[in-house]
Each structure stands twice: as C-alpha cells, then as structure tokens.
Amino acid sequence: MTDREFKIERLTTEYVQEEDRIRLNLEDPQQQRTTLWLTQRLLNRVVPALVKVLEEETSGKPQASDLQAFTQQRAQRDIEQEAPIPAAESAWLVRRVDMTSRPKAVTLVFGDNQSETARLEMPRTALRQWLSILRELYRRAEWSCENWPDWLAPLSQTAETKDSQLH
C-alpha cells in the first residue's frame, strides 16, 4: 500500500485494552482491508476539531446546545448495526489527521508521516454517529471525557455492555 491512499468505505471502531488504543478496521469499495491505530493523545486533538465543525452549524443561534443535543440524539438513534470488519494483517499507527470541512460532509485523511494514508468522507450525520461511538469507547477505556461537550452525551447513561467494539 506504499504511496497509495486507502479509500474507506466502511469502518469498525473498537477499543483494544491490551494496546490502550482505538483500532479502526477499515474496508475499501473492493473489500480490501487495513487496520489503523489511534492513540488517546492524537484523538484528544482531533475530537475538539470535529466538535467545532459541528458546533459551527448552530453558532449564534438561540439554544445552540439544545439544537446540538437534539441533532446528536437523532443521529445516534439512526446508527445501523452492521457486521464488524475484522482486523487486517496490515496495520499502522496514525500520526496525523488532516480534516477538510464542507457544508454537508467532512473528510478525514489519516496519515503515518510516510507514505500511508487512508481517506474517510463522512456526511455530517455519520460524523455525529462516529463521535458518539468514540465517546462511548472513551468511557469504556476509562479515558477522560471532561472535554467532550454535554450535547454529545450518550442517549442512555445507564446502558452497560461488555463488548468494546462498535461499528
């Protein structure tokens, strides 16, 4: 996959306790797979940038936080369960994430500072869904959620599952 960009069609996001990292199992349109690792340190810089993109939608509007919470809850309810993507043999550590925001979508390009990249284009609703999955994985990993906005709180604070894989 050298000097090639992996175009992400589907992904499974999971917390791996042994690594204390988030693993992204990815599949492209041809059903080729690769796996990316994301550290908490990197995610702690990426998540606020993604949240900011979503908060710009309601900037200056009355009750902006309520609008965000309503939109977020609707996105969370619409998450469709799919078969998880298994981890691939080829895996690499993400060292940078480039983001491009457009009115209806956000593009993330994950890179390893060498020749590997993976591109994920997400409509805003999918971004909200992925953020809710990440927040739940933060909670399960016992990573601090203090910098996450209140409007991104899970639908059910009492829902407990032992499975640490979400997709």
Side-chain angles (χ1 to χ4, degrees):
M1 217 166 52
T2 305
D3 293 327
R4 186 184 137 217
E5 184 171 79
F6 191 90
K7 185 173 178 0
I8 303 167
E9 173 99 357
R10 283 187 340 117
L11 71 123
T12 296
T13 306
E14 59 188 339
Y15 172 71
V16 178
Q17 184 173 1
E18 295 78 18
E19 296 284 338
D20 195 29
R21 294 182 181 169
I22 300 290
R23 179 169 59 196
L24 299 180
N25 300 325
L26 311 174
E27 189 175 84
D28 72 5
Q30 291 76 39
Q31 297 181 332
Q32 298 294 312
R33 294 189 334 242
T34 195
T35 293
L36 308 184
W37 290 99
L38 297 164
T39 63
Q40 179 185 9
R41 182 182 186 115
L42 179 64
L43 283 168
N44 284 344
R45 289 183 280 161
V46 170
V47 167
L50 297 175
V51 167
K52 182 179 177 187
V53 164
L54 294 175
E55 287 180 337
E56 288 171 354
E57 295 174 354
T58 57
S59 179
K61 293 184 180 177
Q63 300 172 332
S65 185
D66 291 341
L67 288 170
Q68 286 291 342
F70 175 76
T71 306
Q72 186 64 32
Q73 288 175 1
R74 188 174 52 214
Q76 286 175 245
R77 279 193 303 269
D78 291 344
I79 292 175
E80 294 180 21
Q81 294 298 317
E82 297 181 356
I85 300 166
E89 286 186 28
S90 98
W92 47 276
L93 178 65
V94 175
R95 299 194 182 273
R96 67 176 168 72
V97 179
D98 300 321
M99 180 181 70
T100 306
S101 176
R102 295 181 315 282
K104 297 206 183 269
V106 172
T107 301
L108 300 176
V109 178
F110 303 97
D112 72 349
N113 284 346
Q114 294 176 25
S115 59
E116 302 275 5
T117 59
R119 175 180 298 270
L120 175 61
E121 295 194 32
M122 288 188 285
R124 300 270 175 139
T125 298
L127 173 59
R128 287 180 179 282
Q129 293 169 337
W130 191 55
L131 280 172
S132 69
I133 290 168
L134 281 176
R135 189 179 189 291
E136 175 61 18
L137 292 176
Y138 260 65
R139 188 189 66 75
R140 292 180 188 178
E142 298 178 356
W143 293 351
S144 173
C145 292
E146 69 183 33
N147 293 326
W148 289 75
D150 290 340
W151 57 261
L152 235 163
L155 283 175
S156 170
Q157 295 283 353
T158 59
E160 279 296 320
T161 64
K162 294 185 181 181
D163 187 10
S164 66
Q165 176 174 293
L166 297 170
H167 44 264

